Amino acid sequence: MNTIGKILTLTTFGESHGPAMGGVLDGMPAGVDIDLDALQRFVDRRRTGQTAGSSTRDEQDRVEVLSGIWLGKTLGTPIGFIVRNTDARSADYDDIARCYRPNHADFTWEKKYGLRDPRGGGRASARETVARVVAGGIAIQALNALGITVTSQITQVGQCRDAKSCVSQLEDELQRAMADGDTLGGIIECTVKGAPVGLGEPLFGKLHAQLAAAMMSIPSAHGFEYGDGFEMATKRGSEVMDLFERRADGSIGTRSNHSGGIQGGISNGEDIVMRIAFKPVPTLMREVPTVDREGNPVTLQPRGRHDVCVVPRAVPIVEAMAALVILDNYLIKKTNVL
């Protein structure tokens, strides 16, 4: 399950401490303008060192496009790319190879496959998401040419639930968690503007289901909602009804957007709004009890370079996954109508 998409597909490869991460983005139409400098700037948003508590692993994340783009335009052929790993320290994980870290994929992967790559979590590491951001950055440029934009903002970090306050209090929250050797979770809100009516496929290809699957595939993602989400369960139908109206330009739209831009699993032309909750990072910078392969109790010592909170670096990952799903569905829609 290393591939996402139907027409626009992304297959990623690589392990956290292998030579490189990479991907193949296939199905991109020919002739799309791609600014590689803008793509690199988008990928840079995921890099470490931009907030307090960020991992000290210093990867430059330079994108190397191997195929599919020539003279700034897509060729309609598979776009192959790699991002080399240059700052891995595998020795940090020698002890982890013999035991299971709580809330990590160590136990489940080893039981499923009979072995695992303990170096930085191997394929289960969030390092894999750099390939998603490269592909999503390309998809975002294609969407922008169609008048569709994808943006995100942090709306919660730890106990801070006010979007504006979260930005100003983020550093303080992270510093306090660091001092305790602890970690934080949070919420990212993503908005897609300009999406046309008709994206999404009934019954098992509903747009919100595809977006949920894409977002929940991001490491540390633990919750997804769109529109009013779980809050809608506390309301009456009359309170969340998106009434239709004819607008000044003659188009039909809704007066409100409780549905989050999706009705019946298909986009309705309004802003597509979703929120993704991320759990606290499971690696703590303090001793943690666990067991080894034989079930013997052991104590994990704090080692390695880890984020205190993934949320700041997850913002471009969320945008990338949204862009891949939206562009794929745009291409699917084009095949449904002669």
Side-chain angles (χ1 to χ4, degrees):
M1 301 298 289
N2 298 298
T3 301
I4 185 174
K6 299 296 189 299
I7 292 179
L8 181 72
T9 65
L10 169 66
T11 301
T12 71
F13 60 85
E15 288 83 36
S16 178
H17 287 209
M21 311 304 297
V24 177
L25 182 64
D26 200 5
M28 179 68 69
V32 178
D33 291 323
I34 300 297
D35 183 336
L36 294 180
D37 290 333
L39 175 61
Q40 184 63 60
R41 290 193 296 271
F42 181 72
V43 175
D44 287 344
R45 290 173 55 198
R46 182 196 163 280
R47 285 193 61 212
T48 62
Q50 300 182 69
T51 58
S54 176
S55 168
T56 57
R57 179 172 174 174
D58 187 21
E59 296 287 0
Q60 295 303 304
D61 289 348
R62 306 308 299 177
V63 180
E64 299 178 38
V65 176
L66 306 178
S67 64
I69 298 176
W70 184 62
L71 298 180
K73 289 186 180 293
T74 59
L75 297 173
T77 57
I79 300 172
F81 59 87
I82 61 171
V83 176
R84 299 184 189 275
N85 297 327
T86 60
D87 190 32
R89 297 180 187 172
S90 299
D92 288 346
Y93 297 88
D94 288 346
D95 294 339
I96 293 172
R98 295 182 289 274
C99 61
Y100 303 122
R101 294 172 295 172
N103 288 32
H104 277 274
D106 300 343
F107 176 78
T108 52
W109 275 56
E110 188 167 293
K111 292 303 180 183
K112 179 176 177 65
Y113 296 108
L115 75 166
R116 61 183 167 95
D117 180 355
R119 305 168 303 162
R123 186 95 176 116
S125 169
R127 177 71 184 147
E128 179 270 340
T129 61
V130 69
R132 307 183 191 207
V133 174
V134 175
I138 294 171
I140 282 174
Q141 292 193 33
L143 289 174
N144 288 345
L146 297 170
I148 302 171
T149 61
V150 182
T151 59
S152 293
Q153 63 174 339
I154 298 170
T155 59
Q156 181 173 335
V157 173
Q159 294 298 313
C160 178
R161 291 182 171 86
D162 177 73
K164 293 182 180 178
S165 297
C166 279
V167 175
S168 61
Q169 294 181 19
L170 177 59
E171 294 289 327
D172 290 339
E173 290 275 347
L174 293 173
Q175 292 286 359
R176 285 195 291 270
M178 286 175 60
D180 294 334
D182 219 325
T183 59
L184 295 170
I187 296 175
I188 294 172
E189 181 175 274
C190 181
T191 303
V192 181
K193 292 181 176 291
V197 179
L199 304 186
E201 300 294 316
L203 292 173
F204 301 110
K206 293 181 177 181
L207 185 59
H208 57 272
Q210 294 184 54
L211 288 167
M215 297 305 169
M216 294 301 288
S217 74
I218 301 173
S220 292
H222 259 238
F224 175 89
E225 64 177 8
Y226 70 103
D228 285 2
F230 284 92
E231 183 65 21
M232 190 175 284
T234 70
K235 305 292 185 181
R236 292 189 175 189
S238 57
E239 297 177 284
V240 296
M241 189 171 293
D242 293 319
L243 299 176
F244 288 103
E245 64 179 2
R246 182 176 180 177
R247 293 173 175 164
D249 62 0
S251 65
I252 294 176
T254 59
R255 298 178 186 176
S256 56
N257 193 22
H258 300 289
S259 301
I262 303 171
Q263 294 173 325
I266 299 171
S267 62
N268 65 2
E270 305 300 325
D271 291 351
I272 298 171
V273 183
M274 69 201 92
R275 285 167 296 281
I276 303 91
F278 290 85
K279 70 177 182 180
V281 176
T283 300
L284 307 185
M285 287 296 102
R286 61 192 191 194
E287 292 185 347
V288 175
T290 187
V291 298
D292 62 18
R293 285 196 177 103
E294 288 71 43
N296 301 310
V298 296
T299 300
L300 284 175
Q301 300 297 327
R303 295 186 66 183
R305 298 165 294 173
H306 307 278
D307 293 292
V308 172
C309 179
V310 301
V311 173
R313 295 179 63 201
V315 170
I317 305 171
V318 166
E319 293 174 7
M321 297 307 292
L324 290 169
V325 171
I326 295 298
L327 184 55
D328 187 30
N329 277 272
Y330 181 89
L331 296 173
I332 293 172
K333 182 177 184 293
K334 299 290 284 187
T335 69
N336 287 342
V337 181
L338 294 178

